[in-house]
């Protein structure tokens, strides 16, 4: 008979959402530095904090001096679309899609920019054949597909001598994996994922070839002010020093600084990766011990260590809804239902802000929710 008694121990922080993700351990809003709030972001104090945030991101990401990094509006979507709208159209375009967000960039390229891209797709749980990519074109891909839990294993599929530019939506990948920046011309992310920061702002990383494109090519379509990275034919360098295009949320910036200082205290990127790896391994053990749970991403080499997507035997969307609601009601796990467009299943964030002990504590709760949902 199935045991449906409530497990004794709950995860201390039941925050397993894949975005916005759990705040860093020890986070409290009253710990944020607030002197920059209520001041002009162009005053010395605002500019200093924005520049400090940029410097911290560069340090923790181990971003080389060849690449610029700046804070832009509109979260990851804003940053990625800014890159698409300002740089695409100069040559052919290839878009790779293996889940919902990659599919969103296909829609942008095909329906909005009308670029007639070559689209290379794979089903949820799979990676397409990356050797098929024509690198004489600009290539758009999602480093870690948050809604399928499938990622590229590394940047080896990107040739050093590519003619086109590589555009990586890296929002649930940065701070969790090693990234060979020499292979990346454009990368974007938002603070709300691995850092446990706030949405609202995006981060745009540009390599030298992307800057060259921006300065030598003017797209055929009009650009809204929030997308304009070039002034009089030259890159607006101020954006990469903290002179934002429009007014930023200094509260979100201070929140990101808190997370980045926490990351630095862990030893930076190595510390963040170690936490994410340990979380993914702990969840992997839970899955291995249960015949009713499986990984949506079958190939371990391309399985996410941040947004881990799980299959549940016999589950449909209604079952998963019930399953997730049971866990939420007990304050045992929040936001663990898979993404709305993905096959019905669970998605459990394993990024660095989650504590491994909380992943471990989740196992018996998943058993309880499964048995309870089935019994009900
Ligand atoms: C891979 C990927 N791209 C883009 C987005 C959109 O990010 P944002 O809401 O920060 O714009 C997300 C959000 O979950 C994502 O996971």
């Amino acid at each position: 008979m199935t045991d449906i008694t409530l497990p004794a121990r709950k995860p201390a922080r039941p925050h397993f959402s894949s975005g916005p993700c759990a705040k860093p351990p020890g986070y409290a809003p009253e710990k944020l530095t607030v002197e920059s709030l209520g001041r002009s972001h162009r005053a010395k104090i605002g500019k200093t904090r924005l520049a400090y945030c940029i410097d911290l991101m560069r340090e923790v990401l181990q971003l080389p001096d060849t690449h610029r990094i700046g804070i832009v509006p509109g979260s990851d979507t804003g940053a990625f679309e800014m890159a698409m709208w300002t740089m695409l159209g100069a040559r052919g375009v290839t878009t790779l899609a293996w889940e919902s967000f990659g599919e969103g960039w296909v829609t942008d390229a095909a329906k909005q920019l009308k670029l007639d891209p070559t689209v290379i797709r794979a089903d949820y749980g799979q990676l397409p054949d990356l050797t098929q990519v024509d690198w004489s074109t600009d290539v758009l891909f999602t480093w870690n597909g948050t809604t399928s839990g499938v990622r590229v294993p590394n940047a080896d599929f990107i040739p050093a001598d590519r003619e086109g530019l590589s555009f990586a939506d890296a929002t649930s990948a940065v701070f969790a994996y090693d990234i060979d920046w020499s292979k990346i011309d454009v990368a974007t992310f938002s603070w709300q994922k691995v850092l446990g920061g706030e949405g609202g702002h995006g981060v745009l990383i540009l390599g030298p070839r992307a800057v060259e494109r921006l300065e030598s090519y003017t797209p055929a379509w009009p650009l809204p002010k929030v997308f304009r990275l070039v002034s009089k034919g030259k890159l607006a360098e101020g954006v990469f020093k903290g002179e934002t295009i429009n007014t930023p949320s200094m509260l979100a910036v201070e929140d990101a600084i808190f997370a980045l200082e926490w990351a630095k205290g862990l030893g930076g990127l190595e510390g963040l990766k170690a936490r994410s790896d340990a979380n993914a391994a702990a969840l992997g053990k839970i899955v291995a011990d249960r015949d009713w749970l499986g990984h949506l991403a079958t190939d371990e080499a391309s399985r996410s260590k941040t947004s881990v997507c799980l299959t549940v035997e016999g589950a449909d969307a209604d079952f998963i809804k019930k399953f997730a609601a049971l866990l939420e009601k007990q304050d045992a796990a929040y936001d663990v239902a898979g993404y709305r467009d993905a096959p019905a299943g669970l998605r459990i964030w394993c990024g660095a802000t989650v504590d491994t002990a909380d992943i471990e504590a989740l196992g018996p709760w998943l058993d309880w929710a499964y048995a309870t949902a089935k019994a009900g």
Side-chain angles (χ1 to χ4, degrees):
M1 216 183 89
T2 319
D3 178 10
I4 53 171
T5 51
L6 283 173
R9 190 167 71 89
K10 282 181 194 173
R13 293 188 304 141
H15 297 73
F16 300 109
S17 155
S18 292
C21 302
K23 289 291 185 191
Y27 175 91
E30 54 275 21
K31 291 185 185 170
L32 300 182
T33 304
V34 292
E35 282 70 26
S36 67
L37 306 194
R39 296 286 314 272
S40 166
H41 59 294
R42 309 220 187 261
K44 189 165 173 233
I45 185 168
K47 274 185 31 186
T48 304
R49 296 302 281 175
L50 284 155
Y52 177 53
C53 183
I54 288 173
D55 290 347
L56 280 174
M57 290 194 287
R58 177 180 291 283
E59 183 180 347
V60 177
L61 284 171
Q62 301 178 1
L63 188 70
D65 290 344
T66 46
H67 286 58
R68 290 164 173 83
I69 175 166
I71 299 167
V72 299
S75 230
D76 180 61
T77 310
F80 203 76
E81 290 187 334
M82 172 186 275
M84 290 182 74
W85 259 251
T86 52
M87 284 175 256
L88 293 184
R91 54 172 62 233
V93 177
T94 301
T95 49
L96 307 182
W98 51 89
E99 49 79 67
S100 171
F101 287 103
E103 210 44 70
W105 309 138
V106 174
T107 302
D108 268 1
K111 299 222 169 108
Q112 297 296 323
L113 294 175
K114 305 197 190 320
L115 288 169
D116 193 20
T118 301
V119 184
I120 301 179
R121 288 191 169 90
D123 280 344
Y124 275 85
Q126 308 296 316
L127 203 58
D129 180 1
L130 299 174
T131 65
Q132 297 299 305
V133 177
D134 173 2
W135 285 96
S136 71
T137 65
D138 291 331
V139 180
L140 276 56
F141 71 100
T142 303
W143 192 291
N144 182 94
T146 320
T147 66
S148 72
V150 172
R151 64 173 169 114
V152 294
N154 50 50
D156 290 357
F157 72 106
I158 306 172
D161 62 352
R162 63 197 171 278
E163 291 167 49
L165 299 180
S166 60
F167 290 68
D169 170 0
T171 198
S172 53
V174 280
F175 305 109
Y177 309 125
D178 285 319
I179 291 181
D180 176 355
W181 292 106
S182 73
K183 300 288 187 71
I184 300 298
D185 299 307
V186 177
T188 65
F189 68 91
S190 90
W191 297 323
Q192 49 124 343
K193 301 283 189 204
V194 179
L195 291 178
E198 293 297 302
H201 286 295
V203 177
L204 178 67
I205 294 174
L206 299 179
R209 300 180 62 244
V211 175
E212 194 190 331
R213 172 73 59 85
L214 284 167
E215 292 187 336
S216 63
Y217 164 73
T218 305
W221 42 79
L223 286 179
K225 178 175 173 178
V226 286
F227 280 4
R228 280 178 231 154
L229 285 169
V230 172
S231 169
K232 298 192 183 105
K234 285 280 165 209
L235 183 74
E237 294 281 3
V239 170
F240 305 92
K241 296 183 185 131
E243 293 158 24
T244 49
I245 298 173
N246 63 336
T247 311
S249 160
M250 291 309 295
L251 187 54
V253 171
E254 292 296 347
D255 188 275
I257 288 174
F258 180 94
L260 287 157
E261 288 180 337
W262 165 77
K264 224 180 126 170
L266 292 174
L269 185 60
E270 295 310 316
L272 294 172
K273 279 191 316 184
R275 284 178 63 90
S276 185
D277 289 355
N279 288 340
L283 186 58
K285 186 167 184 320
I286 290 173
V287 175
D289 288 346
R290 287 157 180 80
D291 55 9
W292 57 272
L293 265 183
H295 282 286
L296 183 60
T298 42
D299 175 14
E300 201 173 340
S302 56
R303 184 180 299 154
S304 176
K305 293 182 178 189
T306 57
S307 59
V308 182
C309 295
L310 305 179
T311 58
V312 175
E313 193 176 80
D316 59 11
D318 282 345
F319 185 87
I320 293 295
K321 207 170 156 190
K322 207 185 309 171
F323 191 116
L326 282 163
L327 290 169
E328 177 162 352
K329 191 152 177 239
Q330 293 292 332
D331 296 312
Y334 301 145
D335 311 319
V336 295
Y339 192 71
R340 58 178 184 263
D341 297 336
L346 302 174
R347 183 174 56 162
I348 294 161
W349 185 253
C350 287
T353 54
V354 172
D355 290 311
T356 307
D358 288 340
I359 297 280
E360 288 164 349
L362 199 54
W365 285 94
L366 298 180
D367 294 334
W368 169 80
Y370 184 61
T372 309
K374 270 184 99 167

